[in-house]
Amino acid sequence: MIPALMPNYNRADLAFERGEGARLWTADGRRFLDFGAGIATSSIGHGHPHLVKAIAEQAARVMHVSNLYRVPQAEELARRHVEASFADSVLFCNSGAEANEGMIKAVRKYHAENGHPERFRTICFEGAFHGRTLAMISATGNAKYLAGFGPPVQGFDHVPFGNMNAVRDAIGKETAAILIEPVQGEGGVRPASLQFLRDLRAACDEFGILLALDEVQTGMGRSGKLWAHQWAGIEPDVMSSAKGIGGGFPLGAVFAKEHVAKHLKPGTHGHTYGGNPLACAAGNAVLDVVLAPGFLDGVDRVARHLWHGLEGLARRHPEVIEGVQGAGLLLGLKLREAVSNTALQDAAAAEGLLTVAAGMNVLRVAPPLIITDAEADEAVALLDRACLRVSTSRVAAQ
């Protein structure tokens, strides 16, 4: 018989009862170093005292009122994000997929309100991942995600990642925007070159279209800057965020320049839960931590330390690891064809380290942003042992 909890996920046989910092414990006392962070979501770690206190205090006052009324916590969080980003205005929602949906609606509305309703198409990239709604699996373009759900939603054109000639060839009279992740997460932890991001910005300006960035996974300090696009010295017109923005509490957001944001008027878009008092209390607490003096510098420093450790790991295990890629604390081990990322993920878990598989046979390493050099070194040591496990298993199987 089908279980009461719908079997929609391929879950590991692990259940955690508590966490602290970068560590999780199961009910039977097993301890794990968490370098998956709930898929790059537990940005300031587990049980962070400031986040826990903010959520508990807000929950005791009022959790939800709906967007029929003012939400001071949302107003404050939006103000702070505007001050710290390119954006002039922020719309809160619940998840990354919702943020991307809102972003695409904003793009289309912008062109319609400016006399070009025919501009509704968005250029996306092969290997992208933008969420699981009907529109966002169409934006993602992965045949596996589209299978069984009928015709794809119209309006998304896909070109090779990093190919500027293909981008320019794809721009037509119906093109409204270019949508890109600064680092493809699910697609194999592939970073766009900074020059490619600059060239996309220039092309959008040249053709009068919008640059839309999906920073759901790369944002909120994960790259060592608050937003990954800041490394390229550019600004998008509109951007999505989620995951780390709430530190594990469900929260997403659409960031936009005024020329885009002003067209999302009452009735054009909305959410029942989006930006409620509890979610925004969490968001403000996370922002307190991430914007504290020296925090992002620390993320950048420990990320470089981890990168060097993973490079050393690759040199020690060339039969397992082809190379290291990614940016900041969103890193990937590109594995040899003979070693599956799920095999190495399982071997790492057996050693007490949690990681996340990604596309293109990459093992994703995305720890909480509060990790120390010592924890980075510990993760590399555990991966070292995991590589030995899979190497031994391969030899035994031959």
Side-chain angles (χ1 to χ4, degrees), residues 346-384:
D346 290 344
E351 295 292 345
L353 179 71
L354 302 177
T355 56
V356 183
M360 300 182 68
N361 203 28
V362 168
L363 186 69
R364 190 173 359 176
V365 177
L369 306 184
I370 47 82
I371 62 164
T372 63
D373 286 352
E375 288 168 330
D377 293 340
E378 182 182 350
V380 172
L382 294 172
L383 283 167
D384 205 337

mmCIF file of all heavy atoms in Angstrom, residues 346-384:
data_model
loop_
_atom_site.group_PDB
_atom_site.id
_atom_site.type_symbol
_atom_site.label_atom_id
_atom_site.label_comp_id
_atom_site.label_asym_id
_atom_site.label_seq_id
_atom_site.Cartn_x
_atom_site.Cartn_y
_atom_site.Cartn_z
ATOM 1 N N ASP A 346 26.795 8.547 -0.695
ATOM 2 C CA ASP A 346 26.513 7.505 0.299
ATOM 3 C C ASP A 346 27.759 7.171 1.115
ATOM 4 O O ASP A 346 27.673 6.954 2.338
ATOM 5 C CB ASP A 346 25.993 6.251 -0.397
ATOM 6 C CG ASP A 346 24.600 6.432 -0.984
ATOM 7 O OD1 ASP A 346 23.915 7.400 -0.606
ATOM 8 O OD2 ASP A 346 24.211 5.603 -1.829
ATOM 9 N N ALA A 347 28.909 7.131 0.456
ATOM 10 C CA ALA A 347 30.155 6.833 1.164
ATOM 11 C C ALA A 347 30.484 7.941 2.157
ATOM 12 O O ALA A 347 30.936 7.667 3.273
ATOM 13 C CB ALA A 347 31.294 6.656 0.166
ATOM 14 N N ALA A 348 30.241 9.193 1.766
ATOM 15 C CA ALA A 348 30.486 10.317 2.672
ATOM 16 C C ALA A 348 29.551 10.246 3.877
ATOM 17 O O ALA A 348 29.960 10.484 5.020
ATOM 18 C CB ALA A 348 30.311 11.642 1.924
ATOM 19 N N ALA A 349 28.281 9.913 3.628
ATOM 20 C CA ALA A 349 27.322 9.791 4.728
ATOM 21 C C ALA A 349 27.741 8.680 5.685
ATOM 22 O O ALA A 349 27.588 8.808 6.910
ATOM 23 C CB ALA A 349 25.925 9.540 4.180
ATOM 24 N N ALA A 350 28.278 7.594 5.140
ATOM 25 C CA ALA A 350 28.752 6.502 5.989
ATOM 26 C C ALA A 350 29.909 6.945 6.880
ATOM 27 O O ALA A 350 30.114 6.392 7.965
ATOM 28 C CB ALA A 350 29.175 5.322 5.121
ATOM 29 N N GLU A 351 30.645 7.956 6.439
ATOM 30 C CA GLU A 351 31.747 8.503 7.233
ATOM 31 C C GLU A 351 31.297 9.629 8.164
ATOM 32 O O GLU A 351 32.092 10.153 8.946
ATOM 33 C CB GLU A 351 32.854 9.012 6.300
ATOM 34 C CG GLU A 351 33.526 7.925 5.479
ATOM 35 C CD GLU A 351 34.353 6.965 6.314
ATOM 36 O OE1 GLU A 351 34.652 7.284 7.483
ATOM 37 O OE2 GLU A 351 34.693 5.875 5.804
ATOM 38 N N GLY A 352 30.018 10.049 8.021
ATOM 39 C CA GLY A 352 29.495 11.093 8.891
ATOM 40 C C GLY A 352 29.452 12.468 8.270
ATOM 41 O O GLY A 352 29.387 13.473 8.995
ATOM 42 N N LEU A 353 29.437 12.539 6.938
ATOM 43 C CA LEU A 353 29.399 13.828 6.238
ATOM 44 C C LEU A 353 28.209 13.855 5.290
ATOM 45 O O LEU A 353 28.024 12.947 4.477
ATOM 46 C CB LEU A 353 30.687 14.049 5.443
ATOM 47 C CG LEU A 353 30.753 15.353 4.641
ATOM 48 C CD1 LEU A 353 30.894 16.565 5.562
ATOM 49 C CD2 LEU A 353 31.903 15.307 3.631
ATOM 50 N N LEU A 354 27.408 14.908 5.366
ATOM 51 C CA LEU A 354 26.255 15.080 4.481
ATOM 52 C C LEU A 354 26.624 16.003 3.331
ATOM 53 O O LEU A 354 27.148 17.103 3.534
ATOM 54 C CB LEU A 354 25.080 15.664 5.253
ATOM 55 C CG LEU A 354 24.600 14.867 6.468
ATOM 56 C CD1 LEU A 354 23.466 15.614 7.168
ATOM 57 C CD2 LEU A 354 24.162 13.461 6.063
ATOM 58 N N THR A 355 26.356 15.536 2.103
ATOM 59 C CA THR A 355 26.565 16.319 0.892
ATOM 60 C C THR A 355 25.315 16.173 0.033
ATOM 61 O O THR A 355 24.362 15.504 0.418
ATOM 62 C CB THR A 355 27.804 15.829 0.130
ATOM 63 O OG1 THR A 355 27.654 14.422 -0.140
ATOM 64 C CG2 THR A 355 29.081 16.061 0.946
ATOM 65 N N VAL A 356 25.323 16.778 -1.156
ATOM 66 C CA VAL A 356 24.147 16.738 -2.028
ATOM 67 C C VAL A 356 24.598 16.449 -3.457
ATOM 68 O O VAL A 356 25.489 17.136 -3.975
ATOM 69 C CB VAL A 356 23.379 18.075 -1.996
ATOM 70 C CG1 VAL A 356 22.110 17.985 -2.849
ATOM 71 C CG2 VAL A 356 23.011 18.464 -0.567
ATOM 72 N N ALA A 357 23.974 15.482 -4.093
ATOM 73 C CA ALA A 357 24.277 15.199 -5.494
ATOM 74 C C ALA A 357 23.727 16.313 -6.384
ATOM 75 O O ALA A 357 22.715 16.936 -6.081
ATOM 76 C CB ALA A 357 23.677 13.856 -5.905
ATOM 77 N N ALA A 358 24.427 16.562 -7.485
ATOM 78 C CA ALA A 358 23.979 17.539 -8.483
ATOM 79 C C ALA A 358 24.110 16.917 -9.862
ATOM 80 O O ALA A 358 24.600 15.789 -10.013
ATOM 81 C CB ALA A 358 24.794 18.826 -8.380
ATOM 82 N N GLY A 359 23.680 17.643 -10.889
ATOM 83 C CA GLY A 359 23.757 17.149 -12.247
ATOM 84 C C GLY A 359 25.192 17.013 -12.735
ATOM 85 O O GLY A 359 26.142 17.456 -12.087
ATOM 86 N N MET A 360 25.338 16.371 -13.890
ATOM 87 C CA MET A 360 26.630 16.196 -14.545
ATOM 88 C C MET A 360 27.616 15.412 -13.684
ATOM 89 O O MET A 360 28.825 15.634 -13.739
ATOM 90 C CB MET A 360 27.219 17.554 -14.952
ATOM 91 C CG MET A 360 26.336 18.328 -15.924
ATOM 92 S SD MET A 360 27.052 19.888 -16.449
ATOM 93 C CE MET A 360 28.431 19.304 -17.438
ATOM 94 N N ASN A 361 27.069 14.512 -12.854
ATOM 95 C CA ASN A 361 27.878 13.657 -11.984
ATOM 96 C C ASN A 361 28.784 14.476 -11.071
ATOM 97 O O ASN A 361 29.978 14.197 -10.921
ATOM 98 C CB ASN A 361 28.715 12.665 -12.801
ATOM 99 C CG ASN A 361 29.115 11.449 -11.986
ATOM 100 O OD1 ASN A 361 28.427 11.048 -11.047
ATOM 101 N ND2 ASN A 361 30.241 10.856 -12.330
ATOM 102 N N VAL A 362 28.193 15.465 -10.435
ATOM 103 C CA VAL A 362 28.903 16.342 -9.501
ATOM 104 C C VAL A 362 28.360 16.115 -8.093
ATOM 105 O O VAL A 362 27.149 15.961 -7.903
ATOM 106 C CB VAL A 362 28.734 17.827 -9.910
ATOM 107 C CG1 VAL A 362 29.196 18.773 -8.807
ATOM 108 C CG2 VAL A 362 29.500 18.090 -11.196
ATOM 109 N N LEU A 363 29.262 16.079 -7.121
ATOM 110 C CA LEU A 363 28.864 16.042 -5.717
ATOM 111 C C LEU A 363 28.951 17.456 -5.170
ATOM 112 O O LEU A 363 30.016 18.076 -5.179
ATOM 113 C CB LEU A 363 29.766 15.110 -4.906
ATOM 114 C CG LEU A 363 29.312 14.902 -3.456
ATOM 115 C CD1 LEU A 363 28.019 14.095 -3.404
ATOM 116 C CD2 LEU A 363 30.401 14.200 -2.643
ATOM 117 N N ARG A 364 27.808 17.965 -4.706
ATOM 118 C CA ARG A 364 27.715 19.353 -4.255
ATOM 119 C C ARG A 364 28.100 19.473 -2.788
ATOM 120 O O ARG A 364 27.672 18.686 -1.947
ATOM 121 C CB ARG A 364 26.277 19.839 -4.474
ATOM 122 C CG ARG A 364 26.045 21.303 -4.291
ATOM 123 C CD ARG A 364 24.625 21.702 -4.694
ATOM 124 N NE ARG A 364 23.794 20.615 -5.191
ATOM 125 C CZ ARG A 364 22.513 20.752 -5.518
ATOM 126 N NH1 ARG A 364 21.921 21.917 -5.404
ATOM 127 N NH2 ARG A 364 21.820 19.717 -5.954
ATOM 128 N N VAL A 365 28.896 20.493 -2.482
ATOM 129 C CA VAL A 365 29.324 20.798 -1.123
ATOM 130 C C VAL A 365 28.853 22.212 -0.817
ATOM 131 O O VAL A 365 29.357 23.179 -1.386
ATOM 132 C CB VAL A 365 30.856 20.678 -0.989
ATOM 133 C CG1 VAL A 365 31.307 21.058 0.405
ATOM 134 C CG2 VAL A 365 31.316 19.260 -1.332
ATOM 135 N N ALA A 366 27.848 22.334 0.052
ATOM 136 C CA ALA A 366 27.239 23.637 0.337
ATOM 137 C C ALA A 366 26.952 23.752 1.827
ATOM 138 O O ALA A 366 25.803 23.662 2.267
ATOM 139 C CB ALA A 366 25.955 23.807 -0.472
ATOM 140 N N PRO A 367 27.979 23.950 2.646
ATOM 141 C CA PRO A 367 27.794 23.972 4.100
ATOM 142 C C PRO A 367 27.147 25.263 4.580
ATOM 143 O O PRO A 367 27.037 26.240 3.824
ATOM 144 C CB PRO A 367 29.233 23.874 4.612
ATOM 145 C CG PRO A 367 30.038 24.541 3.550
ATOM 146 C CD PRO A 367 29.372 24.164 2.249
ATOM 147 N N PRO A 368 26.717 25.303 5.831
ATOM 148 C CA PRO A 368 26.288 26.578 6.414
ATOM 149 C C PRO A 368 27.422 27.602 6.315
ATOM 150 O O PRO A 368 28.613 27.243 6.325
ATOM 151 C CB PRO A 368 25.995 26.216 7.875
ATOM 152 C CG PRO A 368 25.717 24.751 7.862
ATOM 153 C CD PRO A 368 26.597 24.185 6.799
ATOM 154 N N LEU A 369 27.054 28.857 6.253
ATOM 155 C CA LEU A 369 28.050 29.916 6.070
ATOM 156 C C LEU A 369 28.886 30.167 7.316
ATOM 157 O O LEU A 369 29.877 30.910 7.254
ATOM 158 C CB LEU A 369 27.350 31.222 5.670
ATOM 159 C CG LEU A 369 26.409 31.153 4.452
ATOM 160 C CD1 LEU A 369 25.875 32.548 4.135
ATOM 161 C CD2 LEU A 369 27.094 30.541 3.249
ATOM 162 N N ILE A 370 28.531 29.531 8.422
ATOM 163 C CA ILE A 370 29.207 29.787 9.700
ATOM 164 C C ILE A 370 30.301 28.756 9.992
ATOM 165 O O ILE A 370 30.853 28.748 11.096
ATOM 166 C CB ILE A 370 28.180 29.819 10.862
ATOM 167 C CG1 ILE A 370 27.198 28.635 10.794
ATOM 168 C CG2 ILE A 370 27.356 31.097 10.784
ATOM 169 C CD1 ILE A 370 27.668 27.348 11.358
ATOM 170 N N ILE A 371 30.649 27.918 9.000
ATOM 171 C CA ILE A 371 31.659 26.900 9.254
ATOM 172 C C ILE A 371 33.022 27.534 9.533
ATOM 173 O O ILE A 371 33.323 28.633 9.081
ATOM 174 C CB ILE A 371 31.793 25.888 8.098
ATOM 175 C CG1 ILE A 371 32.234 26.572 6.807
ATOM 176 C CG2 ILE A 371 30.515 25.108 7.912
ATOM 177 C CD1 ILE A 371 32.749 25.617 5.759
ATOM 178 N N THR A 372 33.848 26.796 10.259
ATOM 179 C CA THR A 372 35.208 27.213 10.585
ATOM 180 C C THR A 372 36.211 26.512 9.670
ATOM 181 O O THR A 372 35.868 25.548 8.967
ATOM 182 C CB THR A 372 35.543 26.849 12.040
ATOM 183 O OG1 THR A 372 35.482 25.407 12.166
ATOM 184 C CG2 THR A 372 34.548 27.488 13.007
ATOM 185 N N ASP A 373 37.449 26.979 9.700
ATOM 186 C CA ASP A 373 38.513 26.284 8.969
ATOM 187 C C ASP A 373 38.629 24.839 9.438
ATOM 188 O O ASP A 373 38.835 23.923 8.635
ATOM 189 C CB ASP A 373 39.854 26.996 9.180
ATOM 190 C CG ASP A 373 39.960 28.308 8.417
ATOM 191 O OD1 ASP A 373 39.062 28.593 7.603
ATOM 192 O OD2 ASP A 373 40.943 29.040 8.643
ATOM 193 N N ALA A 374 38.499 24.621 10.738
ATOM 194 C CA ALA A 374 38.620 23.269 11.279
ATOM 195 C C ALA A 374 37.522 22.358 10.747
ATOM 196 O O ALA A 374 37.774 21.178 10.436
ATOM 197 C CB ALA A 374 38.579 23.312 12.803
ATOM 198 N N GLU A 375 36.311 22.877 10.620
ATOM 199 C CA GLU A 375 35.218 22.072 10.072
ATOM 200 C C GLU A 375 35.420 21.817 8.587
ATOM 201 O O GLU A 375 35.085 20.727 8.081
ATOM 202 C CB GLU A 375 33.886 22.755 10.346
ATOM 203 C CG GLU A 375 33.488 22.675 11.822
ATOM 204 C CD GLU A 375 32.337 23.582 12.196
ATOM 205 O OE1 GLU A 375 32.180 24.652 11.565
ATOM 206 O OE2 GLU A 375 31.607 23.238 13.146
ATOM 207 N N ALA A 376 35.969 22.798 7.869
ATOM 208 C CA ALA A 376 36.301 22.579 6.459
ATOM 209 C C ALA A 376 37.336 21.465 6.327
ATOM 210 O O ALA A 376 37.211 20.574 5.473
ATOM 211 C CB ALA A 376 36.816 23.868 5.829
ATOM 212 N N ASP A 377 38.360 21.500 7.179
ATOM 213 C CA ASP A 377 39.388 20.454 7.159
ATOM 214 C C ASP A 377 38.798 19.095 7.511
ATOM 215 O O ASP A 377 39.168 18.070 6.916
ATOM 216 C CB ASP A 377 40.509 20.797 8.138
ATOM 217 C CG ASP A 377 41.312 22.018 7.719
ATOM 218 O OD1 ASP A 377 41.261 22.379 6.524
ATOM 219 O OD2 ASP A 377 41.980 22.615 8.591
ATOM 220 N N GLU A 378 37.876 19.076 8.470
ATOM 221 C CA GLU A 378 37.235 17.818 8.858
ATOM 222 C C GLU A 378 36.432 17.244 7.692
ATOM 223 O O GLU A 378 36.458 16.029 7.443
ATOM 224 C CB GLU A 378 36.331 18.051 10.065
ATOM 225 C CG GLU A 378 35.657 16.789 10.574
ATOM 226 C CD GLU A 378 34.717 17.062 11.741
ATOM 227 O OE1 GLU A 378 34.715 18.192 12.284
ATOM 228 O OE2 GLU A 378 33.976 16.127 12.108
ATOM 229 N N ALA A 379 35.721 18.114 6.970
ATOM 230 C CA ALA A 379 34.938 17.652 5.826
ATOM 231 C C ALA A 379 35.840 17.055 4.755
ATOM 232 O O ALA A 379 35.517 16.011 4.157
ATOM 233 C CB ALA A 379 34.130 18.811 5.246
ATOM 234 N N VAL A 380 36.979 17.689 4.502
ATOM 235 C CA VAL A 380 37.922 17.164 3.510
ATOM 236 C C VAL A 380 38.452 15.804 3.954
ATOM 237 O O VAL A 380 38.574 14.868 3.146
ATOM 238 C CB VAL A 380 39.066 18.164 3.270
ATOM 239 C CG1 VAL A 380 40.149 17.542 2.394
ATOM 240 C CG2 VAL A 380 38.533 19.441 2.620
ATOM 241 N N ALA A 381 38.751 15.663 5.240
ATOM 242 C CA ALA A 381 39.238 14.381 5.760
ATOM 243 C C ALA A 381 38.184 13.286 5.613
ATOM 244 O O ALA A 381 38.503 12.133 5.258
ATOM 245 C CB ALA A 381 39.647 14.529 7.221
ATOM 246 N N LEU A 382 36.918 13.622 5.864
ATOM 247 C CA LEU A 382 35.842 12.648 5.712
ATOM 248 C C LEU A 382 35.640 12.281 4.243
ATOM 249 O O LEU A 382 35.379 11.107 3.909
ATOM 250 C CB LEU A 382 34.547 13.195 6.314
ATOM 251 C CG LEU A 382 34.560 13.391 7.833
ATOM 252 C CD1 LEU A 382 33.305 14.109 8.289
ATOM 253 C CD2 LEU A 382 34.709 12.049 8.561
ATOM 254 N N LEU A 383 35.772 13.262 3.361
ATOM 255 C CA LEU A 383 35.682 12.977 1.928
ATOM 256 C C LEU A 383 36.852 12.120 1.462
ATOM 257 O O LEU A 383 36.710 11.287 0.565
ATOM 258 C CB LEU A 383 35.624 14.283 1.131
ATOM 259 C CG LEU A 383 34.275 15.005 1.131
ATOM 260 C CD1 LEU A 383 34.426 16.415 0.578
ATOM 261 C CD2 LEU A 383 33.251 14.217 0.303
ATOM 262 N N ASP A 384 38.013 12.334 2.072
ATOM 263 C CA ASP A 384 39.184 11.510 1.774
ATOM 264 C C ASP A 384 38.861 10.037 2.046
ATOM 265 O O ASP A 384 39.119 9.146 1.223
ATOM 266 C CB ASP A 384 40.357 11.977 2.634
ATOM 267 C CG ASP A 384 41.706 11.646 2.029
ATOM 268 O OD1 ASP A 384 41.776 10.719 1.203
ATOM 269 O OD2 ASP A 384 42.689 12.321 2.368
#
